[in-house]
Amino acid sequence: MAALFALGGAAAWGVGDFFGGLASRRLHVLTVLLLSQLAGLTGVLVWALVSGDSFPDTGEAAAAAGGGAAGLVGLAALYRGFAVGSMGIVAPISAASPLVPLAVDLARGTVPSALQWVGIAVVLAGIAVVSREPGAVHGRRVAAGAGLAVVAALGFGLFVVGLDAAAASSVPWTIVLARATSVSLALLAALVVGAPLGSPARFLPLVLAIGVFDTGANVLVAQATTVGSAGIVAVLSALYPLVTIALARIVLGERLRGAQRAGGAAALAGAALVAAG
């Protein structure tokens, strides 16, 4: 069940993030985040109220809030990366997020297996390849959006760690707390930088769809952490780039160089090795 929940979350994240990339090419990224996160909060709040679950204790609430803040940073970096670079490059790099829970497990005394160490090396090598592209002056330069993709990976990894620490007592309230935190921070950031708080009517369905898919993915991943290990859930849910890349290829006609395709495949394969370990 954990695998099914995590893979369902991956599919929902892949679609939602593709929509987020499209919206961020037309609207301010904070506007996209605020409206999509707010739309998702409404749905999960109703779910939490009818669930009858008890509210998490202070420690779990803090973990959920921290996960929500990290997830918002990850989404902001991902959407901005999609807006300035190729989705086929940014998405595979962000799939390195499972390295974060793995590092947390290591800090707690769980040493990665030999296969996981190989997976880590393959992930890092894949990122190095996919993030490089020919440059006009010095031979090679970092692909647009690659640095933002690394930030996204860190944010998503910490989001899963936060969910794992908080979701045992109540999945619905964990998602509500994480989403309420992200909405509050997005609103504060939008006010500080003067980003629009509303969207033109023609883009509103797209923005709302982002919230539906992203929230659905959060629910599925949070549920998965209650029945499986955080490391495995993180790896399976991180397969969302496959969906995003496929949509970018079909809808936008994105094409990558052979080396970049190989690097993206290596990053995802390395994540699978981490899970197999």
Side-chain angles (χ1 to χ4, degrees), residues 188-209:
L188 178 61
L191 291 173
V192 169
V193 304
L197 301 182
S199 164
R202 66 183 184 278
F203 295 132
L204 195 56
L206 178 62
V207 174
L208 294 180

Side-chain angles (χ1 to χ4, degrees), residues 6-18 209-210 212-218 220 240 243:
L7 289 173
W13 259 333
V15 176
D17 288 343
F18 174 74
I210 298 168
V212 171
F213 280 102
D214 182 52
T215 300
N218 290 348
L220 289 169
Y240 78 90
V243 178

